[in-house]
Amino acid sequence: MSKPKSPFTRAQLLPQEETLEISKQKGELFIGIPKEAYFQEKRICLTPDAVNAIVNNGHRVLIENGAGIEAGFADTEYSEAGAEMTTDKKKVFGCPMVLKVEPPTLDELELINPKTVLISALQLKTRQKSYFEALAKKKITALAFEFIKDEDHSYPAVKALSEIAGTASVLIAAELMVNAKKGNGLLFGNISGVPPVEVVVIGAGTVGEFATRSALGLGANVKVFDSSITKLRTIQTHVGRILYTSTIQPKNLMKALRRCDVAIGAVRGHNRAPIIVTEEMVRNMKKGAVVIDVCVDMGGCFETTEMTSHDQPTFKKHDVIHYGVPNIPARYPKTASISISNIFTPYILEIAEGGGLENAIRFDNGLKNGLYFYRGILTSKAVADWFDMPYSDINLLIF
Protein backbone atom coordinates (compact mmCIF):
# COMPACT_ATOMS: atom_id res chain seq x y z
CA MET A 1 0.00 0.00 0.00
CA SER A 2 1.50 3.35 -1.05
CA LYS A 3 2.13 5.99 1.58
CA PRO A 4 0.18 9.27 1.32
CA LYS A 5 2.15 12.01 -0.46
CA SER A 6 0.99 14.84 1.78
CA PRO A 7 3.33 15.83 4.66
CA PHE A 8 0.26 16.74 6.77
CA THR A 9 -1.76 14.39 8.96
CA ARG A 10 -5.43 13.81 8.26
CA ALA A 11 -6.39 15.91 11.31
CA GLN A 12 -4.26 18.82 10.07
CA LEU A 13 -5.99 18.77 6.70
CA LEU A 14 -9.43 19.24 8.28
CA PRO A 15 -10.78 22.82 8.28
CA GLN A 16 -9.61 24.78 11.34
CA GLU A 17 -11.52 27.49 13.16
CA GLU A 18 -10.07 30.97 12.71
CA THR A 19 -8.93 32.96 15.78
CA LEU A 20 -9.81 36.60 15.43
CA GLU A 21 -7.68 39.36 16.98
CA ILE A 22 -9.14 40.81 20.17
CA SER A 23 -10.01 44.45 19.56
CA LYS A 24 -8.47 46.98 21.93
CA GLN A 25 -10.91 49.46 23.38
CA LYS A 26 -9.67 52.42 25.39
CA GLY A 27 -10.95 52.44 28.97
CA GLU A 28 -11.21 55.14 31.63
CA LEU A 29 -9.19 54.58 34.79
CA PHE A 30 -9.93 55.82 38.31
CA ILE A 31 -6.69 55.63 40.31
CA GLY A 32 -6.34 56.06 44.07
CA ILE A 33 -2.99 57.04 45.63
CA PRO A 34 -2.98 56.80 49.44
CA LYS A 35 -0.41 58.31 51.79
CA GLU A 36 2.32 55.76 52.63
CA ALA A 37 1.93 54.46 56.18
CA TYR A 38 5.09 52.33 56.26
CA PHE A 39 7.86 53.43 58.64
CA GLN A 40 10.14 56.06 57.02
CA GLU A 41 8.60 55.60 53.57
CA LYS A 42 8.50 59.06 51.98
CA ARG A 43 8.11 58.21 48.30
CA ILE A 44 5.01 58.56 46.10
CA CYS A 45 4.19 56.68 42.86
CA LEU A 46 3.30 59.62 40.63
CA THR A 47 4.68 63.16 40.37
CA PRO A 48 2.32 66.10 39.60
CA ASP A 49 3.59 66.07 35.97
CA ALA A 50 2.70 62.37 35.64
CA VAL A 51 -0.75 63.01 37.16
CA ASN A 52 -1.25 65.82 34.64
CA ALA A 53 -0.40 63.49 31.73
CA ILE A 54 -2.79 60.80 33.03
CA VAL A 55 -5.66 63.26 33.68
CA ASN A 56 -5.19 64.82 30.21
CA ASN A 57 -5.67 61.35 28.75
CA GLY A 58 -9.17 61.28 30.23
CA HIS A 59 -8.56 59.44 33.54
CA ARG A 60 -9.25 60.34 37.17
CA VAL A 61 -6.69 60.38 40.00
CA LEU A 62 -7.71 60.61 43.66
CA ILE A 63 -4.87 61.41 46.10
CA GLU A 64 -4.93 61.44 49.89
CA ASN A 65 -3.92 64.80 51.35
CA GLY A 66 -0.23 64.99 52.25
CA ALA A 67 0.73 61.90 50.18
CA GLY A 68 3.51 63.74 48.34
CA ILE A 69 4.69 66.26 50.95
CA GLU A 70 7.59 64.11 52.21
CA ALA A 71 8.80 63.74 48.60
CA GLY A 72 8.67 67.52 48.06
CA PHE A 73 5.34 67.70 46.21
CA ALA A 74 2.63 69.90 47.75
CA ASP A 75 -1.11 69.10 47.61
CA THR A 76 -1.68 72.28 45.56
CA GLU A 77 0.71 70.98 42.87
CA TYR A 78 -1.38 67.81 42.55
CA SER A 79 -4.73 69.63 42.52
CA GLU A 80 -3.42 72.06 39.86
CA ALA A 81 -2.28 69.03 37.83
CA GLY A 82 -5.91 67.82 37.82
CA ALA A 83 -5.95 65.34 40.71
CA GLU A 84 -8.86 65.13 43.14
CA MET A 85 -7.73 65.52 46.78
CA THR A 86 -9.33 63.98 49.87
CA THR A 87 -8.64 63.41 53.56
CA ASP A 88 -10.70 60.21 53.53
CA LYS A 89 -8.32 57.22 53.34
CA LYS A 90 -11.25 54.83 52.84
CA LYS A 91 -12.34 56.77 49.75
CA VAL A 92 -8.82 56.47 48.22
CA PHE A 93 -8.63 52.71 48.88
CA GLY A 94 -12.14 52.40 47.43
CA CYS A 95 -10.91 53.32 43.91
CA PRO A 96 -11.02 50.56 41.24
CA MET A 97 -7.21 50.86 40.87
CA VAL A 98 -4.88 51.53 43.84
CA LEU A 99 -1.28 52.65 43.32
CA LYS A 100 1.26 52.34 46.16
CA VAL A 101 5.02 52.16 46.71
CA GLU A 102 4.97 49.77 49.67
CA PRO A 103 2.57 46.80 49.76
CA PRO A 104 -0.60 47.59 51.75
CA THR A 105 -0.87 46.52 55.39
CA LEU A 106 -3.61 44.11 56.48
CA ASP A 107 -5.58 47.08 57.88
CA GLU A 108 -5.31 48.84 54.51
CA LEU A 109 -6.40 45.68 52.68
CA GLU A 110 -9.62 45.79 54.74
CA LEU A 111 -10.40 49.17 53.13
CA ILE A 112 -9.89 47.89 49.57
CA ASN A 113 -13.01 46.90 47.66
CA PRO A 114 -13.37 43.40 46.15
CA LYS A 115 -12.02 42.96 42.58
CA THR A 116 -9.75 46.03 42.89
CA VAL A 117 -6.53 46.25 40.82
CA LEU A 118 -3.56 46.81 43.15
CA ILE A 119 -0.18 47.97 41.81
CA SER A 120 2.62 48.19 44.38
CA ALA A 121 5.88 46.56 45.40
CA LEU A 122 5.55 42.98 46.67
CA GLN A 123 8.70 42.64 48.84
CA LEU A 124 8.21 38.89 48.98
CA LYS A 125 10.70 38.29 51.83
CA THR A 126 8.75 40.57 54.21
CA ARG A 127 5.26 39.20 53.45
CA GLN A 128 3.19 36.86 55.61
CA LYS A 129 0.81 34.19 54.33
CA SER A 130 -2.12 36.20 55.77
CA TYR A 131 -1.40 38.97 53.22
CA PHE A 132 -2.04 36.61 50.29
CA GLU A 133 -5.07 35.10 52.01
CA ALA A 134 -6.56 38.61 52.31
CA LEU A 135 -5.94 39.23 48.57
CA ALA A 136 -7.61 35.93 47.68
CA LYS A 137 -10.61 36.65 49.90
CA LYS A 138 -11.27 39.98 48.15
CA LYS A 139 -10.58 38.55 44.64
CA ILE A 140 -7.96 41.25 44.07
CA THR A 141 -5.81 41.48 40.93
CA ALA A 142 -2.31 42.45 42.12
CA LEU A 143 0.73 43.55 40.16
CA ALA A 144 4.23 43.80 41.69
CA PHE A 145 6.20 46.54 39.97
CA GLU A 146 9.59 45.01 40.83
CA PHE A 147 8.70 41.94 38.69
CA ILE A 148 7.58 43.90 35.59
CA LYS A 149 9.98 43.24 32.69
CA ASP A 150 11.12 45.64 29.98
CA GLU A 151 11.60 44.94 26.26
CA ASP A 152 15.21 43.91 26.96
CA HIS A 153 14.03 41.46 29.69
CA SER A 154 15.43 43.59 32.52
CA TYR A 155 13.44 44.82 35.54
CA PRO A 156 13.09 48.62 35.09
CA ALA A 157 11.86 49.42 38.63
CA VAL A 158 14.59 47.35 40.32
CA LYS A 159 17.19 48.84 38.00
CA ALA A 160 16.11 52.43 38.69
CA LEU A 161 16.15 51.99 42.47
CA SER A 162 19.46 50.08 42.26
CA GLU A 163 20.99 53.03 40.40
CA ILE A 164 19.92 55.34 43.25
CA ALA A 165 21.15 52.91 45.93
CA GLY A 166 24.53 52.49 44.21
CA THR A 167 25.14 56.22 43.79
CA ALA A 168 23.83 56.98 47.29
CA SER A 169 26.07 54.37 48.95
CA VAL A 170 29.17 56.36 47.90
CA LEU A 171 27.66 59.70 48.97
CA ILE A 172 26.69 58.24 52.37
CA ALA A 173 30.21 56.83 52.79
CA ALA A 174 31.64 60.28 51.98
CA GLU A 175 29.48 61.81 54.74
CA LEU A 176 30.45 59.17 57.31
CA MET A 177 34.19 59.50 56.56
CA VAL A 178 34.17 63.28 57.17
CA ASN A 179 33.06 62.89 60.77
CA ALA A 180 36.44 62.89 62.57
CA LYS A 181 34.87 61.68 65.88
CA LYS A 182 33.70 58.42 64.33
CA GLY A 183 35.36 58.27 60.90
CA ASN A 184 38.88 59.04 59.76
CA GLY A 185 38.21 62.64 58.70
CA LEU A 186 39.00 61.83 55.08
CA LEU A 187 37.78 63.75 52.05
CA PHE A 188 36.31 61.51 49.35
CA GLY A 189 38.23 63.13 46.51
CA ASN A 190 41.50 63.15 44.60
CA ILE A 191 43.64 65.92 46.10
CA SER A 192 47.12 66.52 44.71
CA GLY A 193 49.78 64.93 46.87
CA VAL A 194 47.24 63.04 49.03
CA PRO A 195 46.74 59.29 48.48
CA PRO A 196 43.23 58.69 47.11
CA VAL A 197 40.51 56.94 49.09
CA GLU A 198 40.47 53.15 48.58
CA VAL A 199 37.03 51.66 47.83
CA VAL A 200 36.11 47.98 47.59
CA VAL A 201 32.85 47.14 45.78
CA ILE A 202 31.60 43.56 46.21
CA GLY A 203 29.11 42.76 43.45
CA ALA A 204 29.22 43.98 39.84
CA GLY A 205 25.48 44.34 39.22
CA THR A 206 23.58 47.64 38.78
CA VAL A 207 24.24 48.75 42.39
CA GLY A 208 27.93 47.89 42.07
CA GLU A 209 28.20 49.65 38.70
CA PHE A 210 26.70 52.91 39.93
CA ALA A 211 28.71 52.81 43.17
CA THR A 212 31.84 52.33 41.05
CA ARG A 213 30.90 55.20 38.70
CA SER A 214 30.30 57.58 41.64
CA ALA A 215 33.48 56.57 43.49
CA LEU A 216 35.59 56.98 40.33
CA GLY A 217 33.94 60.34 39.66
CA LEU A 218 35.06 61.53 43.09
CA GLY A 219 38.61 60.36 42.40
CA ALA A 220 38.80 57.18 44.46
CA ASN A 221 40.74 54.01 43.74
CA VAL A 222 38.12 51.30 43.17
CA LYS A 223 38.45 47.52 43.32
CA VAL A 224 35.47 45.46 42.14
CA PHE A 225 34.87 41.85 43.18
CA ASP A 226 32.29 39.46 41.74
CA SER A 227 32.06 35.71 41.13
CA SER A 228 30.88 36.31 37.51
CA ILE A 229 33.54 37.08 34.89
CA THR A 230 30.77 38.28 32.53
CA LYS A 231 29.58 40.88 35.05
CA LEU A 232 33.15 42.06 35.67
CA ARG A 233 33.68 42.38 31.91
CA THR A 234 30.37 44.28 31.57
CA ILE A 235 31.22 46.75 34.35
CA GLN A 236 34.57 47.51 32.66
CA THR A 237 32.73 48.23 29.38
CA HIS A 238 29.98 50.35 30.99
CA VAL A 239 32.34 52.40 33.14
CA GLY A 240 34.57 52.94 30.11
CA ARG A 241 37.94 52.61 31.81
CA ILE A 242 40.31 49.93 33.08
CA LEU A 243 39.45 48.87 36.63
CA TYR A 244 40.90 46.51 39.19
CA THR A 245 38.50 43.56 38.95
CA SER A 246 38.78 40.20 40.64
CA THR A 247 36.72 37.10 41.25
CA ILE A 248 35.81 36.57 44.89
CA GLN A 249 38.90 34.86 46.27
CA PRO A 250 39.41 35.15 50.06
CA LYS A 251 43.12 35.99 49.77
CA ASN A 252 42.64 38.88 47.26
CA LEU A 253 39.50 40.14 49.03
CA MET A 254 41.21 40.08 52.45
CA LYS A 255 44.16 42.06 51.09
CA ALA A 256 41.84 44.68 49.52
CA LEU A 257 39.67 45.00 52.66
CA ARG A 258 42.71 45.55 54.88
CA ARG A 259 43.74 48.57 52.79
CA CYS A 260 40.32 50.07 51.97
CA ASP A 261 38.60 53.07 53.55
CA VAL A 262 35.13 52.11 52.24
CA ALA A 263 33.61 48.69 51.51
CA ILE A 264 30.27 48.44 49.68
CA GLY A 265 28.33 45.17 49.67
CA ALA A 266 26.01 44.73 46.68
CA VAL A 267 25.59 40.97 46.19
CA ARG A 268 22.06 39.56 46.05
CA GLY A 269 21.22 35.87 46.37
CA HIS A 270 18.00 34.03 45.52
CA ASN A 271 16.57 33.69 49.01
CA ARG A 272 19.32 35.37 50.99
CA ALA A 273 22.44 37.40 50.21
CA PRO A 274 25.53 35.17 50.58
CA ILE A 275 27.89 36.08 53.44
CA ILE A 276 31.11 36.96 51.64
CA VAL A 277 32.92 39.04 54.27
CA THR A 278 33.39 37.18 57.55
CA GLU A 279 33.68 38.79 60.99
CA GLU A 280 37.41 37.95 60.99
CA MET A 281 37.85 39.95 57.76
CA VAL A 282 36.03 42.95 59.29
CA ARG A 283 38.21 42.70 62.41
CA ASN A 284 41.30 43.17 60.20
CA MET A 285 39.94 46.30 58.47
CA LYS A 286 41.26 49.81 59.18
CA LYS A 287 40.04 51.61 62.29
CA GLY A 288 37.28 54.03 61.22
CA ALA A 289 36.70 52.33 57.84
CA VAL A 290 33.12 52.45 56.51
CA VAL A 291 30.97 49.44 55.52
CA ILE A 292 27.80 50.11 53.48
CA ASP A 293 25.79 46.89 53.10
CA VAL A 294 23.24 47.66 50.35
CA CYS A 295 21.83 44.10 50.42
CA VAL A 296 20.96 44.25 54.15
CA ASP A 297 17.27 43.69 53.24
CA MET A 298 18.30 40.18 52.11
CA GLY A 299 20.43 39.47 55.16
CA GLY A 300 23.58 41.33 54.08
CA CYS A 301 26.86 40.03 52.63
CA PHE A 302 28.91 41.17 55.65
CA GLU A 303 28.67 38.82 58.64
CA THR A 304 28.74 41.80 61.04
CA THR A 305 25.81 43.62 59.37
CA GLU A 306 22.76 44.55 61.43
CA MET A 307 19.64 46.29 60.15
CA THR A 308 19.41 49.98 61.13
CA SER A 309 17.00 52.87 60.38
CA HIS A 310 17.33 56.34 58.84
CA ASP A 311 17.13 57.82 62.38
CA GLN A 312 20.01 55.69 63.73
CA PRO A 313 21.77 54.60 60.52
CA THR A 314 25.16 53.50 61.85
CA PHE A 315 26.78 51.34 64.52
CA LYS A 316 30.39 50.43 65.26
CA LYS A 317 31.79 46.92 65.36
CA HIS A 318 35.53 46.14 65.64
CA ASP A 319 36.11 49.93 65.21
CA VAL A 320 34.50 49.77 61.75
CA ILE A 321 31.47 51.99 61.00
CA HIS A 322 28.55 49.94 59.64
CA TYR A 323 25.62 51.43 57.71
CA GLY A 324 22.71 48.99 57.50
CA VAL A 325 19.62 50.91 56.32
CA PRO A 326 17.56 48.59 54.06
CA ASN A 327 15.67 51.30 52.18
CA ILE A 328 18.44 53.61 50.90
CA PRO A 329 16.37 55.20 48.02
CA ALA A 330 13.83 56.50 50.61
CA ARG A 331 16.62 58.79 51.86
CA TYR A 332 16.26 60.63 48.52
CA PRO A 333 12.44 60.61 48.20
CA LYS A 334 12.11 63.20 45.43
CA THR A 335 14.64 61.54 43.09
CA ALA A 336 13.19 58.09 43.86
CA SER A 337 9.60 59.32 43.31
CA ILE A 338 10.46 60.85 39.92
CA SER A 339 12.27 57.64 38.94
CA ILE A 340 9.31 55.40 39.96
CA SER A 341 6.83 57.78 38.31
CA ASN A 342 8.74 57.59 34.99
CA ILE A 343 8.29 53.81 35.06
CA PHE A 344 4.64 53.80 36.23
CA THR A 345 3.22 56.43 33.84
CA PRO A 346 3.75 54.61 30.48
CA TYR A 347 2.37 51.36 31.97
CA ILE A 348 -0.75 53.11 33.30
CA LEU A 349 -1.38 54.72 29.90
CA GLU A 350 -0.76 51.33 28.24
CA ILE A 351 -3.31 49.67 30.58
CA ALA A 352 -5.83 52.40 29.68
CA GLU A 353 -5.16 52.10 25.93
CA GLY A 354 -5.61 48.33 26.13
CA GLY A 355 -9.01 48.74 27.81
CA GLY A 356 -7.96 47.64 31.29
CA LEU A 357 -5.29 45.52 32.93
CA GLU A 358 -6.66 42.22 31.62
CA ASN A 359 -6.28 43.26 27.98
CA ALA A 360 -2.91 44.95 28.57
CA ILE A 361 -1.57 41.69 30.06
CA ARG A 362 -2.70 39.77 26.96
CA PHE A 363 -0.54 41.97 24.74
CA ASP A 364 2.43 42.69 27.06
CA ASN A 365 4.41 39.74 28.44
CA GLY A 366 6.60 42.05 30.56
CA LEU A 367 3.52 43.36 32.35
CA LYS A 368 2.20 39.80 32.68
CA ASN A 369 5.42 38.86 34.49
CA GLY A 370 4.56 41.34 37.26
CA LEU A 371 1.14 39.81 37.93
CA TYR A 372 1.06 37.65 41.07
CA PHE A 373 -2.69 37.63 41.82
CA TYR A 374 -5.51 37.50 39.27
CA ARG A 375 -9.04 37.89 40.64
CA GLY A 376 -8.04 36.23 43.89
CA ILE A 377 -6.07 33.39 42.26
CA LEU A 378 -2.34 33.17 42.94
CA THR A 379 -0.44 33.18 39.62
CA SER A 380 3.18 33.52 40.79
CA LYS A 381 5.33 30.41 41.12
CA ALA A 382 7.86 32.32 43.28
CA VAL A 383 5.17 33.19 45.86
CA ALA A 384 3.71 29.67 45.69
CA ASP A 385 7.13 28.08 46.36
CA TRP A 386 7.98 30.53 49.16
CA PHE A 387 4.72 30.05 51.07
CA ASP A 388 3.85 26.53 49.92
CA MET A 389 0.56 27.67 48.34
CA PRO A 390 -1.26 26.35 45.24
CA TYR A 391 -1.04 28.52 42.12
CA SER A 392 -2.42 28.62 38.58
CA ASP A 393 -0.61 29.57 35.40
CA ILE A 394 -1.89 32.97 34.23
CA ASN A 395 -1.93 31.71 30.60
CA LEU A 396 -4.66 29.26 31.56
CA LEU A 397 -6.79 32.05 33.09
CA ILE A 398 -6.38 34.69 30.39
CA PHE A 399 -6.89 33.62 26.77
Side-chain angles (χ1 to χ4, degrees), residues 88-145:
D88 189 353
K89 194 181 273 287
K90 195 174 179 183
K91 206 172 171 186
V92 178
F93 277 106
C95 292
M97 182 181 278
V98 174
L99 224 58
K100 275 183 105 293
V101 178
E102 293 285 333
T105 62
L106 291 175
D107 291 338
E108 287 173 336
L109 280 174
E110 285 296 313
L111 302 173
I112 293 177
N113 289 334
K115 296 184 180 176
T116 295
V117 172
L118 169 69
I119 304 175
S120 74
L122 172 57
Q123 296 173 350
L124 182 57
K125 308 295 184 288
T126 62
R127 296 296 92 209
Q128 303 292 326
K129 202 170 182 176
S130 52
Y131 172 79
F132 300 105
E133 286 166 352
L135 291 177
K137 191 179 166 189
K138 292 220 167 183
K139 292 188 166 50
I140 287 169
T141 298
L143 201 71
F145 65 72

Side-chain angles (χ1 to χ4, degrees), residues 306-319:
E306 289 171 25
M307 206 175 276
T308 59
S309 67
H310 287 293
D311 296 332
Q312 292 287 323
T314 61
F315 66 92
K316 256 191 171 185
K317 203 161 192 177
H318 306 307
D319 285 324

